Amino acid sequence: GHPQQRSRNIQIQCSIGTRRHLENLNENELFMELIRDVANELDIDVLCHKILVNVGLLTQADRGSLFLARNTPSGRILVAKLFDVTQDTPLEEAMRQAHEEPIVIPFGVGVAGIVAETKEIINIKDAYKDKRFNAEIDLRTGYKTKLILSMPICNYEGDVIGVAEIINKINEDVEEFSEKDVEVFRRYLTFCGIGIQNAQLFEISVQEYQRNQILLNLARNIFAEQSNLECLVSKIMQEARELLKCQRCAVFLLDLDCGEAKPSQNVQTFSRRQSKVINVEDILEQQKSPMRFTTLFELGAENQVGTVSRPTMEDLQNSTLALIAQM
């Protein structure tokens, strides 16, 4: 199996094992044990799962959800990292559910969105009597939400990086989340905010390292494959697909014989050294003469080897990719 997968399985088994002795600890010992449980966790998925399970242990909440903040061109949003996690929900099941049913909440909308925007704690005793509550999830799942305790998760600088929310008590006779629940939840999330920020920084550094490795491999391939154009283009497309996480790549060549694009007689090339002024009309004029692609390399998500074809004029006219390539 994959090393990361094996690591997660070991972590889950250890986690289950340690929970058996937690019942014998007093409140302070339990709190410190659960702080240690998340302190050095750098896998963001495992960390968020541990946070929700541990918060359930500390507050005896029935289930919990954790949202992470994202910046978008239209404003900040919350994205559900894990949703409706109980103390018994396995990590893989929680991850699968979050991917299958993504939940996005704008800042300022609903209970979690208002918490994110105001940084205030919201403790609701009867969700259906509170206008901030959205019953859509209950209608979809059949679950009945009554109690909600929602809190912001902040980083070192005090900026909101997420929201944690716990729902209902395991003991259905309990009427509310108590002041003690609120204080324990708040204290625990203070440590969790630091952990989440560390995990996110680690995730960014890993992604940057992987991107650099792909670019390094690409550079090696370009220098290694000087004799075979087909192999060279295939390797470039494979590395580009991995780097950009795309499903399909296509490379159009103007001239296969020399392996590079030759400017046609109707196309003028401009150099800043040769011309200080580039006339817009000249550029528009040159675009009237369509480029004639002679060779097309394609690589799909499943194929490791690219296909090579010589497209006809009709193929090129009907191809959206070819039209984009000519722009």
Side-chain angles (χ1 to χ4, degrees), residues 237-270:
M237 289 195 296
Q238 287 173 20
E239 299 292 353
R241 185 181 61 187
E242 179 63 26
L243 181 65
L244 301 173
K245 304 298 180 189
C246 58
Q247 294 183 344
R248 183 182 169 198
C249 290
V251 174
F252 294 86
L253 291 187
L254 290 175
D255 184 9
L256 185 60
D257 294 329
C258 68
E260 62 183 16
K262 285 184 180 177
S264 69
Q265 293 176 352
N266 296 322
V267 178
Q268 182 182 359
T269 56
F270 294 102

PDB file of all heavy atoms in Angstrom, residues 237-270:
ATOM      1  N   MET A 237       4.146  16.160 -21.691  1.00  0.00           N
ATOM      2  CA  MET A 237       2.708  16.152 -21.389  1.00  0.00           C
ATOM      3  C   MET A 237       2.422  15.406 -20.084  1.00  0.00           C
ATOM      4  O   MET A 237       1.560  15.818 -19.300  1.00  0.00           O
ATOM      5  CB  MET A 237       1.938  15.523 -22.547  1.00  0.00           C
ATOM      6  CG  MET A 237       1.892  16.390 -23.800  1.00  0.00           C
ATOM      7  SD  MET A 237       0.649  15.849 -24.997  1.00  0.00           S
ATOM      8  CE  MET A 237       1.277  14.228 -25.430  1.00  0.00           C
ATOM      9  N   GLN A 238       3.124  14.305 -19.837  1.00  0.00           N
ATOM     10  CA  GLN A 238       2.925  13.551 -18.597  1.00  0.00           C
ATOM     11  C   GLN A 238       3.267  14.408 -17.384  1.00  0.00           C
ATOM     12  O   GLN A 238       2.522  14.441 -16.396  1.00  0.00           O
ATOM     13  CB  GLN A 238       3.776  12.283 -18.609  1.00  0.00           C
ATOM     14  CG  GLN A 238       3.257  11.199 -19.543  1.00  0.00           C
ATOM     15  CD  GLN A 238       4.220  10.025 -19.647  1.00  0.00           C
ATOM     16  OE1 GLN A 238       5.069   9.832 -18.785  1.00  0.00           O
ATOM     17  NE2 GLN A 238       4.091   9.250 -20.699  1.00  0.00           N
ATOM     18  N   GLU A 239       4.407  15.098 -17.463  1.00  0.00           N
ATOM     19  CA  GLU A 239       4.821  15.949 -16.344  1.00  0.00           C
ATOM     20  C   GLU A 239       3.869  17.132 -16.173  1.00  0.00           C
ATOM     21  O   GLU A 239       3.531  17.513 -15.054  1.00  0.00           O
ATOM     22  CB  GLU A 239       6.252  16.458 -16.560  1.00  0.00           C
ATOM     23  CG  GLU A 239       7.306  15.379 -16.663  1.00  0.00           C
ATOM     24  CD  GLU A 239       7.539  14.629 -15.361  1.00  0.00           C
ATOM     25  OE1 GLU A 239       6.987  15.027 -14.331  1.00  0.00           O
ATOM     26  OE2 GLU A 239       8.279  13.628 -15.380  1.00  0.00           O
ATOM     27  N   ALA A 240       3.402  17.701 -17.292  1.00  0.00           N
ATOM     28  CA  ALA A 240       2.467  18.828 -17.222  1.00  0.00           C
ATOM     29  C   ALA A 240       1.142  18.401 -16.609  1.00  0.00           C
ATOM     30  O   ALA A 240       0.546  19.126 -15.801  1.00  0.00           O
ATOM     31  CB  ALA A 240       2.243  19.405 -18.619  1.00  0.00           C
ATOM     32  N   ARG A 241       0.690  17.205 -16.985  1.00  0.00           N
ATOM     33  CA  ARG A 241      -0.572  16.690 -16.425  1.00  0.00           C
ATOM     34  C   ARG A 241      -0.466  16.516 -14.915  1.00  0.00           C
ATOM     35  O   ARG A 241      -1.384  16.868 -14.163  1.00  0.00           O
ATOM     36  CB  ARG A 241      -0.922  15.354 -17.093  1.00  0.00           C
ATOM     37  CG  ARG A 241      -2.276  14.784 -16.663  1.00  0.00           C
ATOM     38  CD  ARG A 241      -2.549  13.456 -17.346  1.00  0.00           C
ATOM     39  NE  ARG A 241      -1.534  12.474 -16.979  1.00  0.00           N
ATOM     40  CZ  ARG A 241      -1.447  11.266 -17.521  1.00  0.00           C
ATOM     41  NH1 ARG A 241      -2.293  10.914 -18.473  1.00  0.00           N
ATOM     42  NH2 ARG A 241      -0.515  10.412 -17.135  1.00  0.00           N
ATOM     43  N   GLU A 242       0.679  15.994 -14.459  1.00  0.00           N
ATOM     44  CA  GLU A 242       0.897  15.796 -13.027  1.00  0.00           C
ATOM     45  C   GLU A 242       1.008  17.136 -12.301  1.00  0.00           C
ATOM     46  O   GLU A 242       0.445  17.323 -11.222  1.00  0.00           O
ATOM     47  CB  GLU A 242       2.180  14.977 -12.822  1.00  0.00           C
ATOM     48  CG  GLU A 242       2.533  14.715 -11.371  1.00  0.00           C
ATOM     49  CD  GLU A 242       1.501  13.873 -10.637  1.00  0.00           C
ATOM     50  OE1 GLU A 242       0.787  13.093 -11.302  1.00  0.00           O
ATOM     51  OE2 GLU A 242       1.399  14.016  -9.404  1.00  0.00           O
ATOM     52  N   LEU A 243       1.706  18.070 -12.898  1.00  0.00           N
ATOM     53  CA  LEU A 243       1.911  19.378 -12.280  1.00  0.00           C
ATOM     54  C   LEU A 243       0.605  20.156 -12.151  1.00  0.00           C
ATOM     55  O   LEU A 243       0.320  20.766 -11.122  1.00  0.00           O
ATOM     56  CB  LEU A 243       2.924  20.182 -13.108  1.00  0.00           C
ATOM     57  CG  LEU A 243       3.285  21.577 -12.609  1.00  0.00           C
ATOM     58  CD1 LEU A 243       4.013  21.494 -11.276  1.00  0.00           C
ATOM     59  CD2 LEU A 243       4.146  22.310 -13.626  1.00  0.00           C
ATOM     60  N   LEU A 244      -0.204  20.135 -13.217  1.00  0.00           N
ATOM     61  CA  LEU A 244      -1.439  20.927 -13.257  1.00  0.00           C
ATOM     62  C   LEU A 244      -2.661  20.163 -12.765  1.00  0.00           C
ATOM     63  O   LEU A 244      -3.751  20.734 -12.660  1.00  0.00           O
ATOM     64  CB  LEU A 244      -1.691  21.416 -14.693  1.00  0.00           C
ATOM     65  CG  LEU A 244      -0.581  22.285 -15.299  1.00  0.00           C
ATOM     66  CD1 LEU A 244      -0.867  22.570 -16.759  1.00  0.00           C
ATOM     67  CD2 LEU A 244      -0.428  23.579 -14.510  1.00  0.00           C
ATOM     68  N   LYS A 245      -2.481  18.851 -12.483  1.00  0.00           N
ATOM     69  CA  LYS A 245      -3.591  18.002 -12.030  1.00  0.00           C
ATOM     70  C   LYS A 245      -4.771  18.053 -13.001  1.00  0.00           C
ATOM     71  O   LYS A 245      -5.930  18.160 -12.610  1.00  0.00           O
ATOM     72  CB  LYS A 245      -4.069  18.423 -10.631  1.00  0.00           C
ATOM     73  CG  LYS A 245      -2.989  18.423  -9.571  1.00  0.00           C
ATOM     74  CD  LYS A 245      -2.409  17.051  -9.349  1.00  0.00           C
ATOM     75  CE  LYS A 245      -1.326  17.053  -8.274  1.00  0.00           C
ATOM     76  NZ  LYS A 245      -0.604  15.766  -8.211  1.00  0.00           N
ATOM     77  N   CYS A 246      -4.453  18.013 -14.292  1.00  0.00           N
ATOM     78  CA  CYS A 246      -5.510  18.074 -15.311  1.00  0.00           C
ATOM     79  C   CYS A 246      -5.798  16.671 -15.853  1.00  0.00           C
ATOM     80  O   CYS A 246      -5.039  15.733 -15.614  1.00  0.00           O
ATOM     81  CB  CYS A 246      -5.108  19.007 -16.452  1.00  0.00           C
ATOM     82  SG  CYS A 246      -3.582  18.542 -17.280  1.00  0.00           S
ATOM     83  N   GLN A 247      -6.897  16.534 -16.566  1.00  0.00           N
ATOM     84  CA  GLN A 247      -7.317  15.239 -17.083  1.00  0.00           C
ATOM     85  C   GLN A 247      -6.767  14.947 -18.468  1.00  0.00           C
ATOM     86  O   GLN A 247      -6.647  13.794 -18.861  1.00  0.00           O
ATOM     87  CB  GLN A 247      -8.852  15.154 -17.122  1.00  0.00           C
ATOM     88  CG  GLN A 247      -9.493  15.169 -15.736  1.00  0.00           C
ATOM     89  CD  GLN A 247     -11.002  15.000 -15.814  1.00  0.00           C
ATOM     90  OE1 GLN A 247     -11.609  15.165 -16.868  1.00  0.00           O
ATOM     91  NE2 GLN A 247     -11.612  14.683 -14.697  1.00  0.00           N
ATOM     92  N   ARG A 248      -6.398  15.980 -19.206  1.00  0.00           N
ATOM     93  CA  ARG A 248      -6.017  15.777 -20.602  1.00  0.00           C
ATOM     94  C   ARG A 248      -5.027  16.838 -21.054  1.00  0.00           C
ATOM     95  O   ARG A 248      -5.110  17.980 -20.629  1.00  0.00           O
ATOM     96  CB  ARG A 248      -7.289  15.828 -21.459  1.00  0.00           C
ATOM     97  CG  ARG A 248      -7.073  15.560 -22.936  1.00  0.00           C
ATOM     98  CD  ARG A 248      -8.382  15.695 -23.678  1.00  0.00           C
ATOM     99  NE  ARG A 248      -8.195  15.712 -25.110  1.00  0.00           N
ATOM    100  CZ  ARG A 248      -9.087  16.148 -25.982  1.00  0.00           C
ATOM    101  NH1 ARG A 248     -10.245  16.599 -25.550  1.00  0.00           N
ATOM    102  NH2 ARG A 248      -8.849  16.130 -27.269  1.00  0.00           N
ATOM    103  N   CYS A 249      -4.086  16.423 -21.899  1.00  0.00           N
ATOM    104  CA  CYS A 249      -3.121  17.368 -22.476  1.00  0.00           C
ATOM    105  C   CYS A 249      -3.130  17.235 -23.992  1.00  0.00           C
ATOM    106  O   CYS A 249      -3.342  16.140 -24.522  1.00  0.00           O
ATOM    107  CB  CYS A 249      -1.704  17.079 -21.981  1.00  0.00           C
ATOM    108  SG  CYS A 249      -1.436  17.467 -20.261  1.00  0.00           S
ATOM    109  N   ALA A 250      -2.871  18.329 -24.670  1.00  0.00           N
ATOM    110  CA  ALA A 250      -2.737  18.295 -26.127  1.00  0.00           C
ATOM    111  C   ALA A 250      -1.650  19.277 -26.541  1.00  0.00           C
ATOM    112  O   ALA A 250      -1.569  20.391 -26.009  1.00  0.00           O
ATOM    113  CB  ALA A 250      -4.058  18.657 -26.808  1.00  0.00           C
ATOM    114  N   VAL A 251      -0.797  18.837 -27.467  1.00  0.00           N
ATOM    115  CA  VAL A 251       0.260  19.687 -28.006  1.00  0.00           C
ATOM    116  C   VAL A 251       0.125  19.713 -29.517  1.00  0.00           C
ATOM    117  O   VAL A 251       0.107  18.665 -30.168  1.00  0.00           O
ATOM    118  CB  VAL A 251       1.659  19.164 -27.610  1.00  0.00           C
ATOM    119  CG1 VAL A 251       2.750  19.979 -28.299  1.00  0.00           C
ATOM    120  CG2 VAL A 251       1.845  19.227 -26.092  1.00  0.00           C
ATOM    121  N   PHE A 252       0.009  20.918 -30.092  1.00  0.00           N
ATOM    122  CA  PHE A 252      -0.094  21.095 -31.545  1.00  0.00           C
ATOM    123  C   PHE A 252       1.255  21.578 -32.074  1.00  0.00           C
ATOM    124  O   PHE A 252       1.813  22.546 -31.556  1.00  0.00           O
ATOM    125  CB  PHE A 252      -1.172  22.128 -31.882  1.00  0.00           C
ATOM    126  CG  PHE A 252      -2.570  21.691 -31.527  1.00  0.00           C
ATOM    127  CD1 PHE A 252      -3.085  21.891 -30.251  1.00  0.00           C
ATOM    128  CD2 PHE A 252      -3.386  21.076 -32.479  1.00  0.00           C
ATOM    129  CE1 PHE A 252      -4.365  21.494 -29.920  1.00  0.00           C
ATOM    130  CE2 PHE A 252      -4.672  20.682 -32.159  1.00  0.00           C
ATOM    131  CZ  PHE A 252      -5.164  20.887 -30.881  1.00  0.00           C
ATOM    132  N   LEU A 253       1.762  20.912 -33.099  1.00  0.00           N
ATOM    133  CA  LEU A 253       3.017  21.336 -33.721  1.00  0.00           C
ATOM    134  C   LEU A 253       2.754  21.860 -35.127  1.00  0.00           C
ATOM    135  O   LEU A 253       1.963  21.285 -35.870  1.00  0.00           O
ATOM    136  CB  LEU A 253       3.998  20.169 -33.794  1.00  0.00           C
ATOM    137  CG  LEU A 253       4.581  19.665 -32.471  1.00  0.00           C
ATOM    138  CD1 LEU A 253       5.648  18.631 -32.752  1.00  0.00           C
ATOM    139  CD2 LEU A 253       5.167  20.802 -31.656  1.00  0.00           C
ATOM    140  N   LEU A 254       3.474  22.935 -35.484  1.00  0.00           N
ATOM    141  CA  LEU A 254       3.330  23.518 -36.815  1.00  0.00           C
ATOM    142  C   LEU A 254       4.188  22.787 -37.843  1.00  0.00           C
ATOM    143  O   LEU A 254       3.820  22.687 -38.999  1.00  0.00           O
ATOM    144  CB  LEU A 254       3.738  24.988 -36.782  1.00  0.00           C
ATOM    145  CG  LEU A 254       2.793  25.933 -36.041  1.00  0.00           C
ATOM    146  CD1 LEU A 254       3.392  27.317 -35.990  1.00  0.00           C
ATOM    147  CD2 LEU A 254       1.434  25.972 -36.711  1.00  0.00           C
ATOM    148  N   ASP A 255       5.337  22.252 -37.405  1.00  0.00           N
ATOM    149  CA  ASP A 255       6.234  21.620 -38.362  1.00  0.00           C
ATOM    150  C   ASP A 255       6.967  20.479 -37.673  1.00  0.00           C
ATOM    151  O   ASP A 255       7.796  20.704 -36.810  1.00  0.00           O
ATOM    152  CB  ASP A 255       7.232  22.652 -38.886  1.00  0.00           C
ATOM    153  CG  ASP A 255       8.142  22.073 -39.963  1.00  0.00           C
ATOM    154  OD1 ASP A 255       7.881  20.940 -40.414  1.00  0.00           O
ATOM    155  OD2 ASP A 255       9.088  22.753 -40.336  1.00  0.00           O
ATOM    156  N   LEU A 256       6.631  19.260 -38.036  1.00  0.00           N
ATOM    157  CA  LEU A 256       7.229  18.088 -37.400  1.00  0.00           C
ATOM    158  C   LEU A 256       8.669  17.865 -37.837  1.00  0.00           C
ATOM    159  O   LEU A 256       9.484  17.346 -37.100  1.00  0.00           O
ATOM    160  CB  LEU A 256       6.397  16.837 -37.741  1.00  0.00           C
ATOM    161  CG  LEU A 256       6.817  15.525 -37.059  1.00  0.00           C
ATOM    162  CD1 LEU A 256       6.722  15.660 -35.553  1.00  0.00           C
ATOM    163  CD2 LEU A 256       5.964  14.375 -37.549  1.00  0.00           C
ATOM    164  N   ASP A 257       9.023  18.301 -39.054  1.00  0.00           N
ATOM    165  CA  ASP A 257      10.333  17.971 -39.619  1.00  0.00           C
ATOM    166  C   ASP A 257      11.483  18.512 -38.777  1.00  0.00           C
ATOM    167  O   ASP A 257      12.471  17.839 -38.541  1.00  0.00           O
ATOM    168  CB  ASP A 257      10.451  18.502 -41.055  1.00  0.00           C
ATOM    169  CG  ASP A 257       9.474  17.777 -41.973  1.00  0.00           C
ATOM    170  OD1 ASP A 257       9.198  16.596 -41.692  1.00  0.00           O
ATOM    171  OD2 ASP A 257       9.004  18.397 -42.940  1.00  0.00           O
ATOM    172  N   CYS A 258      11.362  19.744 -38.319  1.00  0.00           N
ATOM    173  CA  CYS A 258      12.462  20.306 -37.538  1.00  0.00           C
ATOM    174  C   CYS A 258      12.116  20.393 -36.061  1.00  0.00           C
ATOM    175  O   CYS A 258      12.923  20.829 -35.253  1.00  0.00           O
ATOM    176  CB  CYS A 258      12.851  21.689 -38.063  1.00  0.00           C
ATOM    177  SG  CYS A 258      11.580  22.927 -37.775  1.00  0.00           S
ATOM    178  N   GLY A 259      10.859  19.995 -35.726  1.00  0.00           N
ATOM    179  CA  GLY A 259      10.478  19.937 -34.322  1.00  0.00           C
ATOM    180  C   GLY A 259      10.194  21.282 -33.687  1.00  0.00           C
ATOM    181  O   GLY A 259      10.147  21.407 -32.484  1.00  0.00           O
ATOM    182  N   GLU A 260      10.043  22.317 -34.500  1.00  0.00           N
ATOM    183  CA  GLU A 260       9.716  23.614 -33.923  1.00  0.00           C
ATOM    184  C   GLU A 260       8.819  24.389 -34.875  1.00  0.00           C
ATOM    185  O   GLU A 260       8.725  24.084 -36.057  1.00  0.00           O
ATOM    186  CB  GLU A 260      10.988  24.420 -33.635  1.00  0.00           C
ATOM    187  CG  GLU A 260      11.799  24.725 -34.877  1.00  0.00           C
ATOM    188  CD  GLU A 260      13.085  25.454 -34.545  1.00  0.00           C
ATOM    189  OE1 GLU A 260      13.482  25.444 -33.366  1.00  0.00           O
ATOM    190  OE2 GLU A 260      13.674  26.019 -35.467  1.00  0.00           O
ATOM    191  N   ALA A 261       8.129  25.378 -34.310  1.00  0.00           N
ATOM    192  CA  ALA A 261       7.201  26.159 -35.131  1.00  0.00           C
ATOM    193  C   ALA A 261       7.963  27.119 -36.017  1.00  0.00           C
ATOM    194  O   ALA A 261       8.798  27.881 -35.565  1.00  0.00           O
ATOM    195  CB  ALA A 261       6.252  26.934 -34.225  1.00  0.00           C
ATOM    196  N   LYS A 262       7.703  27.045 -37.328  1.00  0.00           N
ATOM    197  CA  LYS A 262       8.300  28.012 -38.262  1.00  0.00           C
ATOM    198  C   LYS A 262       7.282  29.089 -38.577  1.00  0.00           C
ATOM    199  O   LYS A 262       6.148  28.776 -38.920  1.00  0.00           O
ATOM    200  CB  LYS A 262       8.654  27.307 -39.574  1.00  0.00           C
ATOM    201  CG  LYS A 262       9.890  26.432 -39.497  1.00  0.00           C
ATOM    202  CD  LYS A 262      10.181  25.876 -40.872  1.00  0.00           C
ATOM    203  CE  LYS A 262      11.399  24.998 -40.862  1.00  0.00           C
ATOM    204  NZ  LYS A 262      11.633  24.402 -42.185  1.00  0.00           N
ATOM    205  N   PRO A 263       7.649  30.344 -38.488  1.00  0.00           N
ATOM    206  CA  PRO A 263       6.692  31.380 -38.874  1.00  0.00           C
ATOM    207  C   PRO A 263       6.392  31.287 -40.365  1.00  0.00           C
ATOM    208  O   PRO A 263       7.286  31.127 -41.178  1.00  0.00           O
ATOM    209  CB  PRO A 263       7.403  32.690 -38.535  1.00  0.00           C
ATOM    210  CG  PRO A 263       8.837  32.344 -38.315  1.00  0.00           C
ATOM    211  CD  PRO A 263       8.923  30.896 -38.018  1.00  0.00           C
ATOM    212  N   SER A 264       5.107  31.323 -40.690  1.00  0.00           N
ATOM    213  CA  SER A 264       4.729  31.250 -42.099  1.00  0.00           C
ATOM    214  C   SER A 264       5.055  32.577 -42.782  1.00  0.00           C
ATOM    215  O   SER A 264       5.370  33.568 -42.135  1.00  0.00           O
ATOM    216  CB  SER A 264       3.230  30.955 -42.219  1.00  0.00           C
ATOM    217  OG  SER A 264       2.496  32.071 -41.776  1.00  0.00           O
ATOM    218  N   GLN A 265       4.949  32.608 -44.126  1.00  0.00           N
ATOM    219  CA  GLN A 265       5.303  33.803 -44.874  1.00  0.00           C
ATOM    220  C   GLN A 265       4.398  34.973 -44.515  1.00  0.00           C
ATOM    221  O   GLN A 265       4.783  36.124 -44.630  1.00  0.00           O
ATOM    222  CB  GLN A 265       5.199  33.519 -46.374  1.00  0.00           C
ATOM    223  CG  GLN A 265       6.251  32.499 -46.844  1.00  0.00           C
ATOM    224  CD  GLN A 265       6.066  32.161 -48.303  1.00  0.00           C
ATOM    225  OE1 GLN A 265       5.084  32.567 -48.918  1.00  0.00           O
ATOM    226  NE2 GLN A 265       7.002  31.408 -48.867  1.00  0.00           N
ATOM    227  N   ASN A 266       3.181  34.657 -44.072  1.00  0.00           N
ATOM    228  CA  ASN A 266       2.228  35.722 -43.785  1.00  0.00           C
ATOM    229  C   ASN A 266       2.317  36.225 -42.341  1.00  0.00           C
ATOM    230  O   ASN A 266       1.613  37.125 -41.961  1.00  0.00           O
ATOM    231  CB  ASN A 266       0.798  35.217 -44.025  1.00  0.00           C
ATOM    232  CG  ASN A 266       0.574  34.868 -45.481  1.00  0.00           C
ATOM    233  OD1 ASN A 266       1.076  35.553 -46.359  1.00  0.00           O
ATOM    234  ND2 ASN A 266      -0.155  33.799 -45.733  1.00  0.00           N
ATOM    235  N   VAL A 267       3.179  35.556 -41.539  1.00  0.00           N
ATOM    236  CA  VAL A 267       3.259  35.942 -40.134  1.00  0.00           C
ATOM    237  C   VAL A 267       4.571  36.660 -39.870  1.00  0.00           C
ATOM    238  O   VAL A 267       5.635  36.155 -40.195  1.00  0.00           O
ATOM    239  CB  VAL A 267       3.152  34.691 -39.220  1.00  0.00           C
ATOM    240  CG1 VAL A 267       3.280  35.118 -37.759  1.00  0.00           C
ATOM    241  CG2 VAL A 267       1.823  33.973 -39.444  1.00  0.00           C
ATOM    242  N   GLN A 268       4.469  37.849 -39.304  1.00  0.00           N
ATOM    243  CA  GLN A 268       5.662  38.617 -38.980  1.00  0.00           C
ATOM    244  C   GLN A 268       5.972  38.431 -37.502  1.00  0.00           C
ATOM    245  O   GLN A 268       5.094  38.503 -36.658  1.00  0.00           O
ATOM    246  CB  GLN A 268       5.419  40.096 -39.261  1.00  0.00           C
ATOM    247  CG  GLN A 268       6.660  40.952 -38.992  1.00  0.00           C
ATOM    248  CD  GLN A 268       6.358  42.405 -39.236  1.00  0.00           C
ATOM    249  OE1 GLN A 268       5.244  42.738 -39.607  1.00  0.00           O
ATOM    250  NE2 GLN A 268       7.343  43.255 -39.002  1.00  0.00           N
ATOM    251  N   THR A 269       7.233  38.127 -37.172  1.00  0.00           N
ATOM    252  CA  THR A 269       7.630  38.009 -35.770  1.00  0.00           C
ATOM    253  C   THR A 269       8.227  39.326 -35.318  1.00  0.00           C
ATOM    254  O   THR A 269       8.917  40.004 -36.070  1.00  0.00           O
ATOM    255  CB  THR A 269       8.669  36.888 -35.574  1.00  0.00           C
ATOM    256  OG1 THR A 269       9.775  37.148 -36.430  1.00  0.00           O
ATOM    257  CG2 THR A 269       8.068  35.529 -35.888  1.00  0.00           C
ATOM    258  N   PHE A 270       7.938  39.680 -34.079  1.00  0.00           N
ATOM    259  CA  PHE A 270       8.387  40.960 -33.554  1.00  0.00           C
ATOM    260  C   PHE A 270       9.390  40.741 -32.440  1.00  0.00           C
ATOM    261  O   PHE A 270       9.243  39.845 -31.625  1.00  0.00           O
ATOM    262  CB  PHE A 270       7.190  41.751 -32.989  1.00  0.00           C
ATOM    263  CG  PHE A 270       6.201  42.164 -34.048  1.00  0.00           C
ATOM    264  CD1 PHE A 270       5.014  41.464 -34.202  1.00  0.00           C
ATOM    265  CD2 PHE A 270       6.448  43.246 -34.877  1.00  0.00           C
ATOM    266  CE1 PHE A 270       4.104  41.834 -35.166  1.00  0.00           C
ATOM    267  CE2 PHE A 270       5.530  43.622 -35.836  1.00  0.00           C
ATOM    268  CZ  PHE A 270       4.354  42.914 -35.985  1.00  0.00           C
TER     269      PHE A 270
END
